[in-house]
Amino acid sequence: MDAWNRLELLVGKDACEKLQSKTVLIVGLGGVGGYTVEALARSGIGTLILVDYDVIEESNINRQLIALQSTIGHKKTEMWQARVKEINPSCKVLIKDVLLTKDNLLEEMQEKIDYIVDACDTIATKMELIRYCEKNDTKMISSMGMGNKLDPSKLSIIEITKTSYDPIAKILRKMMREENITKKIITVCSTEQPVTHSKQTIASNAFVPAVAGLLCASYVVQDIVGEK
């Protein structure tokens, strides 16, 4: 049976061919981004551009799909490239082992990109990605803060101007107002109040980031399939 037969039964052959023609950039390969990559690879996306500058650490094991005892110390980009090729050998996988900043973003974004998934933790990078999407009319979905959250059922897909309670979204909304950015930015955001604790380290679990990543992938796939 063809690897995409079950998906084709759901969305149709033309939609599957459309998915195979698209390029998706995923920025951040942690708890959220990893599950996004996994789902997009299993949905037949033709080209994935994976961006992360980090290596896998033991502390990642509780929430990151690529984090295993055998992968500790390896670069996330390289491990994900290998995993995607195991899932879908026909998928073109480009990796960028870099932290995207204002200084290097345009240099690193030379490929034609159909969709951006922002799954990074760095607010400055999130801002630069929004600016890029505004200038280049590129579609984007951005994951807001998933740390210190416990209930994945409180997650939803929502346009950034309609978000509430999330401190990252508040900062991004302010930036967009000040710079008169009108691009429609979709987010995955939680309405759950953060679990408070005394430690400075952000708490996490196996399911909230995972569900956020799958919601990102779901939105991208459904939006591509629904294109006219």
Side-chain angles (χ1 to χ4, degrees), residues 15-23 44-47 112 114 224:
C16 285
E17 290 177 352
K18 190 180 294 184
L19 291 168
Q20 291 167 15
S21 72
K22 298 297 183 180
T23 297
I45 294 293
T47 302
K112 181 185 179 299
D114 297 297
I224 291 172

Side-chain angles (χ1 to χ4, degrees), residues 10-165:
L10 190 62
V11 301
K13 183 177 180 179
D14 290 345
C16 285
E17 290 177 352
K18 190 180 294 184
L19 291 168
Q20 291 167 15
S21 72
K22 298 297 183 180
T23 297
V24 181
L25 172 81
I26 301 95
V27 183
L29 304 177
V32 176
Y35 278 87
T36 301
V37 174
E38 180 86 3
L40 292 178
R42 294 183 185 275
S43 298
I45 294 293
T47 302
L48 294 175
I49 305 174
L50 311 180
V51 181
D52 202 300
Y53 63 96
D54 212 352
V55 299
I56 299 165
E57 300 178 356
E58 188 174 7
S59 61
N60 300 150
I61 287 177
N62 82 312
R63 68 195 181 283
Q64 297 190 19
L65 191 59
I66 203 69
L68 308 168
Q69 295 296 331
S70 60
T71 62
I72 292 173
H74 292 273
K75 291 182 178 181
K76 292 179 182 179
T77 51
E78 294 177 355
M79 293 297 96
W80 268 113
Q81 184 180 47
R83 182 176 176 90
V84 170
K85 298 304 285 188
E86 285 287 325
I87 295 168
N88 180 7
S90 65
C91 181
K92 182 179 180 181
V93 186
L94 306 177
I95 59 174
K96 298 179 183 290
D97 189 41
V98 65
L99 171 64
L100 291 181
T101 67
K102 180 179 180 179
D103 295 329
N104 68 8
L105 187 135
L106 291 180
E107 179 183 347
E108 297 293 341
M109 306 273 271
Q110 295 297 312
E111 297 83 8
K112 181 185 179 299
I113 299 166
D114 297 297
Y115 235 109
I116 292 175
V117 178
D118 161 32
C120 72
D121 298 325
T122 307
I123 292 178
T125 301
K126 290 180 178 291
M127 289 180 173
E128 290 304 321
L129 290 171
I130 290 173
R131 294 179 181 117
Y132 175 90
C133 289
E134 169 82 357
K135 184 176 180 180
N136 295 277
D137 194 27
T138 304
K139 291 184 176 182
M140 173 176 165
I141 184 166
S142 180
S143 173
M144 298 294 101
M146 297 301 148
N148 298 332
K149 305 290 177 67
L150 196 60
D151 186 355
S153 71
K154 298 293 178 64
L155 291 167
S156 62
I157 299 172
I158 185 171
E159 205 269 322
I160 196 167
T161 60
K162 298 178 181 178
T163 56
S164 57
Y165 304 114

